[in-house]
Amino acid sequence: MPNPEQVLSEITALFTESARLKSLTMDFAWFGPADPRYLGDPHRLRQMLSNLVGNAIKFTRQGRIRIEVREVERDEQAALLEFAVLDTGIGISEDSRARLFQPFSQADSSTTWVFGGTGLGLLSAPTENWSQSADIKLVCQRRWRLAISS
């Protein structure tokens, strides 16, 4: 897997124009070693981050989108990276969170008409067939956490 900061830069570059068209600011931060090396599938990582960032842009009317990555654990054999997507969007109510990762379900059907989509792309960010362990969850109303150990 390339340097996480490089992945963040690529994802940010990919979505900057979409964010700009909605007058949103977008940035990223890497909190880790200067020249890290990790094993992993960069394509799957980009796919998951793209789904999260795309939804953040879709459901944010004003403000900003921020992607953060930190190395939270390391030993001789593995490291745990935490990727977070934060936004100033509408968020997801607590009662809707339980349905979020269920197939063919969405948090709130009214958002389809208002925001032009359902946010179902989260289901296309599977951790199956992932060459390392991955865990994706909504930490709070407006913060996603994707933890990957390599």
Side-chain angles (χ1 to χ4, degrees), residues 17 23 30 64 108 141:
E17 182 62 14
S23 299
W30 161 243
R64 87 182 226 189
D108 179 356
Q141 189 177 12

Side-chain angles (χ1 to χ4, degrees), residues 46-108:
R46 286 183 188 98
Q47 180 184 17
M48 285 192 251
L49 288 173
S50 292
N51 286 336
L52 293 173
V53 171
N55 280 343
I57 290 171
K58 182 186 294 186
F59 296 105
T60 301
R61 290 186 173 169
Q62 61 183 0
R64 87 182 226 189
I65 313 292
R66 181 173 177 87
I67 311 167
E68 295 180 353
V69 182
R70 57 184 35 90
E71 184 180 280
V72 294
E73 288 179 24
R74 176 183 278 280
D75 63 26
E76 322 61 65
Q77 298 177 353
L80 178 64
L81 301 179
E82 180 180 89
F83 295 77
V85 177
L86 303 94
D87 63 69
T88 55
I90 62 172
I92 299 173
S93 68
E94 195 159 335
D95 59 322
S96 296
R97 292 181 200 172
R99 296 187 310 273
L100 198 57
F101 293 101
Q102 293 176 1
F104 308 107
S105 161
Q106 62 192 85
D108 179 356

Side-chain angles (χ1 to χ4, degrees), residues 14-54:
L14 181 66
F15 286 96
T16 295
E17 182 62 14
S18 296
R20 188 192 65 74
L21 289 172
K22 292 183 72 177
S23 299
L24 302 172
T25 60
M26 189 168 172
D27 66 347
F28 68 88
W30 161 243
F31 302 102
D35 191 25
R37 299 281 182 235
Y38 302 101
L39 295 176
D41 184 341
H43 175 71
R44 294 268 188 238
L45 175 60
R46 286 183 188 98
Q47 180 184 17
M48 285 192 251
L49 288 173
S50 292
N51 286 336
L52 293 173
V53 171

